[in-house]
Every structure is written in C-alpha cells, then in structure tokens.
Amino acid sequence: MKSIITSFDILLVAAAFITMVMGFSRRWSLWQRKKEGQVSGDWGMVKNSLLKHTNILKRPTVGAAHMAVFWGFVLPIFIIFLAQFGFFIPRIPARLLSLLQEAAGVAMLIGTVYLLKCRIQAGVQSHDKDRIETVETEAPKRTIFPMAILVVILVSGFLSESSRLSITGNSTAWASPVGWLLSIGTPASPLFMQMMIRLHFLAVLIFIASIPFTFMRHLGASPLNVFYKKQGPKAALRKIKPKAGEIGAKTVEDFSWKQLLETEACVSCGRCEENCPAFISGKPLSPRKVIRKILEQAESAAGGQNFFSKASTQSLLENVISKDEIWACTTCMACVEHCPVFVEAMDKIVDIRRYQVMGKGDLPAEARPMIRALELYGDVQGKGAAHRADWAMNRDVLKIGDDNTAGILFWVGCSGAFHPRNRKTALAMVKILKAAHISFNILAEEEICCGDPARRLGDEVLFRNLAMQNIQRLKQHQVKKIVTLCPHCLNTLKNEYPEFGCDIPVVHATQFVMDLIKEKRITLKYPVASKMAIHDACYLGRYNEVYEPPRDICKAIPGTRLKELGRNRESAFCCGGGGGRMWLHENTGQKLNLIRAQEIANADIDIIGTSCPYCLVMLDDGVKSLEREDIPKVADIIDIVAEAIK
C-alpha cells in the first residue's frame, strides 16, 4: 500500500509541475515570438526590487507584509532543497533552522492574511481617499484564490506539526514553539496528523499548478519584467515605424512583447490608481484597469489552445477601453513612477491614441485646430515663423549665426515665444543670462515646435516631421548646448531626439541658473516672499528627476522659507496640462488644476514657484478661480530669480 501511495504522490507532483510549465510556456512562446533581436537585462534591478524590496517598501505596511510572504516562501524552499539532497546538519543547527523556518511561517501567515484582507476590501471601496466620488473597484478573483490556498498551506502545516508533537511529546518544543502551543488543543491522533499532511501536500500541488493561471503568475512574470526593465530614458515612448505600417495599437497583437509581459507582471496593487490624477479627480481612467483589460482582451482573443493566435485577435481594443479613458491621461507618469514592478500603462494608452489618430483620424475635435496649426505654421498658436522672435524685439537678443562666439542656444519654445504670460518668463531668462554675462543665441524664426503635443496626442508622423526639421537646423548651426524653460521641450530634445540622431546636451533653465548661482556669476540680493513652495512639474520631476535645483534656487533667495506641499517630488500632483490635455476639455470629474490650486491655497504660503509654462498657466487659472482673498501668487522660478537680482 505504501508503494502505491508513493507512486501516486509522484504522479501528482509531476502533474502539478507539468501543468505549471505548460501554463508558463504558452505565455513564454508569445514573448519570444514578438521579441526583436537580443534584449539585455539588469540583475541589479532584480536584486533591489526582490531581495531588498526597494520599491515595494514605499508603502511600508504592505511592503513589510509582502516581504514577510516573500521570505516565508523562499526559506522553506531552501530548507526542502537541503533535506531532499541529503545534506547533513548537526542537531543544534538543525533545530535552530527549524525555529527560523517556523518564525518565517508565522510572518508569512500574518502577511498573507493582511494582504488577503486588503484584496477583499479593494472590492468594496476605492483605493484613494481623495477621489471625489465613491466608486466600487472589483478585486480580481484571481488574486484572492491563490492567497486563500496559501493560508490553507500554512495552517495545515502548523496543525500537522502540532499533531506530531502531541503524539511524540514536546522534548524539542523550543524548536517549534507554534507547533507546541497548538499541540495543547490538538488531538494525539495519527489519523488527524495524516489528514493535515495530505491537506498540506495537496494544497501545495494545487498552488503550484495554478500559478500560471492566477495572480501568482507574477512570481515568474514580475521578476522577469524587472530584469527586462526598459533601458534609457524612463518615459521614452515605444519606437514605431509609421512608414512600415506601424500606426499604434488596434488589437493586442500590435503591442510589443515587453508591453504584453507587463500585463502579466501587474499585481493589481492599486498604487497606480492612488497616484493617477485622472482617477483621483473622478474621471473613468484607471491605469490598473487598463492593464487588466488588455490582459483580459489578450486571453479572450487566445481562444484557449492557440494563445494569441493571429487568427483570433480581431477584437478591437477600443471595444473594451473607452475614449474617455484613452483621452483622460495627462501622461504625468505617476502610474509608472509608483509601480513596484515597472509596469507602464501610459505607453499603452499612447499606442492606442496613435491608432485612433493615425489609423482612424479620430482626434478630439478641440485639439484639431492646434494640430492643424502645427502642420501649417510649426507652432501651437498658429502665429507663424515671422512672429517667432517678436517677444525679443529691441532686447538685443542675437539670432544664431549672427554671433559665432555664442556657446549656448536658448530654446524658447512655443509658450515662451507666443503666450503673453510665458513671454515674460522668456524675457526674465534673457535678463539673467545677460546679468551673468553668458553668450547665447536663439533660433528665432528657424525654431519650430519640438513636437511634444503632437506625439503625446498620438500623431507620430507630425512629430517626426517637426523633429527632423529642428534636428536639421541644430546640426546646421553646430549647436553645442541647449537651455530651455519648458520641461516638455527638455524631455523631447534630450530624451527623444537622440532616437533620430541628435544627441546635443540639454538642460533646464533651473539647472542652468542654479549653476550660475553656485559659480557666483549672479547674486540673489532682494527678498521676494517669506513663505514659498515648489510645484514639481511632471516632465521636469518624474520624467527627468530634476527636483533639487528649483528648491536650491528658492533657498538662495534672502528671507525666503521653503515649505513643501502635501504631494511633492515623485508624488507631486499634475496640473492637468500634459499629454496634449492643454488643448482638451475636462468634461468629467473635477478639474485637475482646481484640485492642485486648492492644495496650494491651503498650504499657508505667499508664492508657489513653478518650472513649466503649462503649469504656470494652469495653476494661475486654478488659483484665481478659487475666489479667495488670500490666494498665493503663482510665478515661474525664473521670474522669481529675475526679481531677486533686479
């Protein structure tokens, strides 16, 4: 009878592992088929993310629970490995190892129960307390089932140990304190012990077999996604070839292997929702749900055996992801920044936009005049090249080529050249450069829009046309270094133009000015405000990790005390102008600039400093619309510096 049971157990173990391998291989074949050439990985990222839990511990309680589950899972596997291969361990070290394993089991049980509780609660209420309306968010059932199995595994393991101690006595109770404590109420029954052992064994096999088909597949997919973390600029969009027929994502087949791997790696933790300004403001966009919908669409299209077979992927993404979701994204990258396993919803949304615009010509009506202006005149205002340098008239600003000794190109951007409020900031920058005796030029009528609004709205063809014209002129004039006021221009020139063969050093104005202050080429002499705070622009902060220069500038202003807003740095709240939304209406939920304006107004400050022309306009409008007497002043930090050196 014993040999029959042993043989049957071996068959069960084999079946469980075969099921797991078949489940993973079905997905792995997709990733391999869609890979383009050799893809390098980073073991350092795996070490930091898995062993140290660097990103996961940004939420301390959940992070600690996950770490307990992780190490409670890894340690028993290590001990089982030692036992199966017959390693000899002396009695005392063996008992200490048993004690360590039991402590890990207790920690794992506590962590699992806590995370299971969080998952169940997620199905009842919204993740974010600041959301302006109460919504129900479905907790994926696939996340609850395997966690419940884990609880069964742990409880049955403790009960089998307690039953063993009830039968054999407690001479080694110190090596198994939990088992000893439970043995007080556990019957000294060999039958009960065998029942718990069998339950434990079967639960482990069910867990192993279910891994590829449940939430627990992130055990393989998440480390793989971390290992293959995107190299280069954090927010670089996926490269496509419009001339080769690549016009964005119509179906799941149009996503890259890495994008599909990310949908598998997503753990549905909700951190993207907690930080997404669109979701917080009551709009229908949830990055977590976008990822889940893409995964469900992929699985639905698979039709069972032929995972992602081309014959079955005809269902359109727009059938499951609405236009309101697609166009609500501000591309602020908050969801990307806060994902512990580097899943990106933003690039998938942009890919869907690309198909809507280039494949269907379905651009939101209010953005069409701006796109048309870019096509005809090369600027978002539709003013034309002849008026590009009007802002600098009679200011003794030289066009590049007029002075061959100039070392700096001041990239003004559409906002600095045409928007009345941002023109003042451009003039303030000129004042600072001249005060520091910096030789600089502008492109004047040769400068056109960098193309950021077109690219974020999905018009890749228009973006490339604008980019190639700018790159040709930059190379023609042999530009060595660029300084710009606009983080959107900074990101495009610095992180996206190199894709097209233009690799010129680009810095933001706050970085450049802070260097001038450090070198004592300018001195801030006059106070501007007693209490000041910084609004971190998304494209300067999360995109390019420039957080300190704006703060260092403010600290250098005499008599100014710097305060921090509630949401700052990596967690700063978007003004609502990015991703082309500067030209789109907010028809649902609360306006983003009003949410941020209210936070600023409640901060007890005299002035809020920005480093982005979009943020300046959006926040200024938002603060003024509050109709309060004590509203703080909104100013670009470059304006503040110019005021302090007058």
Side-chain angles (χ1 to χ4, degrees):
M1 181 67 180
K2 183 177 180 181
S3 61
I4 295 175
I5 294 175
T6 302
S7 300
F8 184 65
D9 288 347
I10 292 173
L11 288 174
L12 287 177
V13 171
F17 277 96
I18 289 171
T19 303
M20 181 185 70
V21 170
M22 289 181 63
F24 273 125
S25 65
R26 196 172 64 168
R27 287 175 158 82
W28 180 254
S29 63
L30 170 72
W31 307 334
Q32 288 295 99
R33 179 170 63 81
K34 294 182 74 69
K35 272 188 181 181
E36 299 176 359
Q38 295 295 320
V39 182
S40 59
D42 186 350
W43 286 109
M45 292 303 304
V46 177
K47 180 184 71 174
N48 289 330
S49 294
L50 295 185
L51 303 184
K52 296 182 180 179
H53 273 51
T54 304
N55 295 322
I56 299 174
L57 285 171
K58 288 181 179 179
R59 279 171 60 182
T61 306
V62 173
H66 190 278
M67 181 171 276
V69 173
F70 175 78
W71 286 110
F73 184 84
V74 170
L75 186 61
I77 292 177
F78 174 72
I79 294 174
I80 290 170
F81 176 84
L82 293 178
Q84 293 301 314
F85 285 88
F87 288 98
F88 174 76
I89 303 175
R91 178 177 298 180
I92 298 301
R95 300 282 167 78
L96 290 173
L97 201 58
S98 173
L99 179 63
L100 178 62
Q101 181 178 1
E102 186 144 311
V106 172
M108 185 178 181
L109 180 60
I110 294 172
T112 303
V113 170
Y114 176 79
L115 293 175
L116 181 59
K117 172 177 169 288
C118 291
R119 291 288 174 176
I120 294 172
Q121 287 180 338
V124 180
Q125 59 188 3
S126 165
H127 282 289
D128 200 292
K129 65 184 181 194
D130 293 331
R131 190 157 163 79
I132 64 169
E133 59 178 336
T134 302
V135 296
E136 291 190 2
T137 57
E138 177 189 356
K141 295 178 181 178
R142 295 184 195 184
T143 69
I144 296 176
F145 171 74
M147 295 175 76
I149 293 294
L150 272 180
V151 173
V152 172
I153 292 171
L154 291 164
V155 172
S156 61
F158 282 125
L159 288 176
S160 62
E161 174 65 7
S162 68
S163 181
R164 184 188 69 81
L165 289 174
S166 295
I167 296 170
T168 62
N170 57 9
S171 59
T172 59
W174 67 270
S176 183
V178 176
W180 170 78
L181 187 63
L182 291 175
S183 68
I184 298 173
T186 304
S189 168
L191 177 61
F192 179 78
M193 183 179 72
Q194 286 298 319
M195 289 174 60
M196 290 300 100
I197 290 173
R198 300 307 294 177
L199 177 61
H200 182 79
F201 176 69
L202 291 173
V204 169
L205 295 185
I206 291 171
F207 179 81
I208 291 171
S210 67
I211 286 175
F213 311 102
T214 67
F215 157 78
M216 284 299 171
R217 65 170 163 265
H218 81 277
L219 292 173
S222 294
L224 199 61
N225 194 57
V226 172
F227 178 71
Y228 286 122
K229 180 182 180 292
K230 181 172 64 182
Q231 303 299 311
K234 298 166 56 170
L237 297 176
R238 182 168 71 99
K239 299 176 183 178
I240 62 172
K241 301 174 183 177
K243 291 183 179 179
E246 295 181 9
I247 53 173
K250 178 181 180 181
T251 70
V252 290
E253 266 292 326
D254 296 315
F255 288 123
S256 70
W257 72 274
K258 178 63 167 63
Q259 289 175 308
L260 294 172
L261 173 59
E262 288 175 4
T263 65
E264 304 279 0
C266 176
V267 296
S268 262
C269 65
R271 297 191 196 198
C272 52
E273 284 182 345
E274 292 175 358
N275 293 277
C276 174
F279 181 82
I280 292 171
S281 66
K283 295 174 178 59
L285 173 62
S286 160
R288 178 179 64 87
K289 289 185 177 180
V290 167
I291 294 295
R292 196 190 337 153
K293 286 177 181 179
I294 292 173
L295 178 60
E296 290 174 352
Q297 185 83 337
E299 292 178 332
S300 175
Q305 296 294 324
N306 298 320
F307 187 68
F308 278 98
S309 61
K310 289 186 178 181
S312 59
T313 53
Q314 300 302 316
S315 185
L316 301 179
L317 289 166
E318 62 189 41
N319 292 339
V320 292
I321 302 175
S322 69
K323 289 184 179 180
D324 286 338
E325 292 174 277
I326 295 169
W327 297 109
C329 179
T330 65
T331 66
C332 71
M333 217 177 75
C335 59
V336 180
E337 180 70 37
H338 292 277
C339 179
V341 292
F342 307 113
V343 174
E344 299 186 25
M346 187 187 76
D347 70 330
K348 297 164 189 59
I349 291 172
V350 172
D351 270 349
I352 298 172
R353 286 182 177 185
R354 283 169 166 171
Y355 171 71
Q356 293 296 310
V357 174
M358 294 188 292
K360 296 180 60 180
D362 192 9
L363 180 72
E366 59 266 37
R368 291 173 189 168
M370 182 272 290
I371 293 294
R372 186 62 174 163
L374 283 179
E375 292 173 340
L376 295 177
Y377 304 105
D379 67 78
V380 297
Q381 301 284 348
K383 300 292 186 180
H387 299 284
R388 192 89 194 189
D390 287 357
W391 66 275
M393 191 176 296
N394 301 321
R395 299 287 178 165
D396 193 26
V397 177
L398 295 177
K399 175 187 172 182
I400 197 165
D402 295 342
D403 180 4
N404 294 326
T405 64
I408 300 294
L409 174 68
F410 176 26
W411 184 277
V412 184
C414 297
S415 296
F418 298 113
H419 194 285
R421 180 62 186 83
N422 299 130
R423 276 185 167 188
K424 296 178 182 178
T425 306
L427 292 172
M429 187 63 188
V430 169
K431 176 182 177 180
I432 295 168
L433 292 171
K434 290 191 173 186
H437 304 290
I438 299 295
S439 177
F440 71 97
N441 294 135
I442 61 173
L443 280 172
E445 67 273 6
E446 291 189 74
E447 180 187 315
I448 59 175
C449 179
C450 67
D452 167 80
R455 191 172 218 194
R456 264 60 196 178
L457 285 172
D459 197 335
E460 184 74 11
V461 173
L462 176 56
F463 162 73
R464 293 186 180 214
N465 289 339
L466 295 169
M468 296 311 297
Q469 292 180 61
N470 278 322
I471 290 171
Q472 180 183 1
R473 289 161 186 170
L474 292 172
K475 289 183 175 180
Q476 174 188 340
H477 292 294
Q478 299 180 345
V479 173
K480 304 299 182 185
K481 186 174 183 179
I482 300 174
V483 177
T484 181
L485 293 164
C486 179
H488 297 261
C489 295
L490 170 74
N491 182 67
T492 304
L493 297 170
K494 178 183 176 182
N495 299 326
E496 299 185 343
Y497 276 21
E499 176 187 342
F500 305 100
C502 179
D503 198 4
I504 300 172
V506 188
V507 296
H508 188 258
T510 56
Q511 295 173 292
F512 191 80
V513 169
M514 190 59 221
D515 287 341
L516 296 180
I517 295 172
K518 289 179 179 178
E519 295 166 5
K520 298 185 178 179
R521 301 187 69 168
I522 60 172
T523 304
L524 308 186
K525 299 179 179 179
Y526 303 99
V528 177
S530 59
K531 292 179 290 185
M532 182 176 175
I534 298 297
H535 166 77
D536 292 287
C538 303
Y539 276 67
L540 187 62
R542 282 186 287 265
Y543 272 70
N544 288 282
E545 298 182 346
V546 178
Y547 295 108
E548 297 309 321
R551 289 169 171 79
D552 291 340
I553 289 173
C554 295
K555 291 174 184 177
I557 300 173
T560 298
R561 181 165 61 93
L562 184 65
K563 300 183 67 176
E564 292 287 359
L565 298 175
R567 289 183 275 212
N568 61 78
R569 298 179 187 267
E570 295 88 350
S571 299
F573 194 80
C574 179
C575 74
R581 289 221 48 94
M582 192 80 172
W583 294 271
L584 301 181
H585 302 315
E586 289 190 68
N587 299 317
T588 58
Q590 190 173 348
K591 291 185 177 181
L592 301 187
N593 65 330
L594 293 182
I595 295 177
R596 188 58 162 172
Q598 189 65 58
E599 185 176 0
I600 292 168
N602 294 337
D604 186 28
I605 56 175
D606 302 314
I607 189 169
I608 180 74
T610 75
S611 304
C612 172
Y614 290 12
C615 296
L616 181 64
V617 173
M618 297 293 286
L619 296 182
D620 195 42
D621 289 347
V623 168
K624 289 177 180 177
S625 68
L626 295 178
E627 299 181 354
R628 289 174 48 169
E629 294 182 0
D630 58 341
I631 58 173
K633 178 182 177 182
V634 181
D636 194 286
I637 290 174
I638 298 304
D639 292 323
I640 295 171
V641 171
E643 184 72 14
I645 65 174
K646 66 182 179 181

